[in-house]
Amino acid sequence: MDGVEVVTWYLEQTSPTDLRPASAPDPAHGVRLARARVPSPEFSRFLYTAVGGDVSWTDRLSWDRGRWLAFLERPAVETRVAYVRDTPAGFIELEGQPDGVVEISYFGLLPDFRGRGIGGHLLSEG
């Protein structure tokens, strides 16, 4: 049986002083960040597949609408979306933990928006 090698990266930041925020993109580029305030399984699945499609994200592909909704309605879950001229460009999904720690569940940009300085800004704001 042929397998697929999966690489998972972990990074732990234990102090706010460890963060070196990225510069915000030039306002002329039309980049804005917004929190997704309405739990939307369809939108979250779109972001997940659009960002992760070319890098083999598969663990949530089997989730049905009910499972997405149950996850997104949890008070500890927050999704922030990067837009470029009002077009979704990427997202960061945050999940609060009981001990006050915040975990980045997913983070990434759609392929056409990578390499433009948007990711660092999104990660810094997240």
Side-chain angles (χ1 to χ4, degrees):
M1 179 189 318
D2 290 335
V4 174
E5 180 179 340
V6 175
V7 177
T8 303
W9 296 91
Y10 294 94
L11 172 67
E12 182 177 19
Q13 179 181 325
T14 57
S15 171
T17 60
D18 291 341
L19 177 65
R20 291 190 177 152
S23 300
D26 183 330
H29 295 147
V31 176
R32 70 178 173 89
L33 306 180
R35 180 178 176 188
R37 297 189 183 275
V38 177
S40 172
E42 295 80 10
F43 186 53
S44 290
R45 183 176 170 85
F46 160 75
L47 291 169
Y48 175 84
T49 58
V51 169
D54 69 331
V55 290
S56 302
W57 288 2
T58 59
D59 59 315
R60 292 187 179 176
L61 292 179
S62 64
W63 285 20
D64 63 17
R65 186 178 196 285
R67 186 164 179 193
W68 276 102
L69 190 58
F71 176 77
L72 295 169
E73 286 183 329
R74 293 177 42 228
V77 173
E78 179 178 316
T79 302
R80 295 187 185 201
V81 183
Y83 294 90
V84 175
R85 294 192 310 269
D86 296 329
T87 302
F91 77 108
I92 187 167
E93 183 183 271
L94 306 169
E95 187 172 0
Q97 304 298 311
D99 55 2
V101 170
V102 176
E103 180 180 331
I104 298 171
S105 302
Y106 281 93
F107 163 77
L109 300 171
L110 281 77
D112 287 345
F113 296 97
R114 295 175 189 156
R116 298 187 191 185
I118 301 165
H121 178 55
L122 177 59
L123 189 59
S124 294
E125 292 297 314

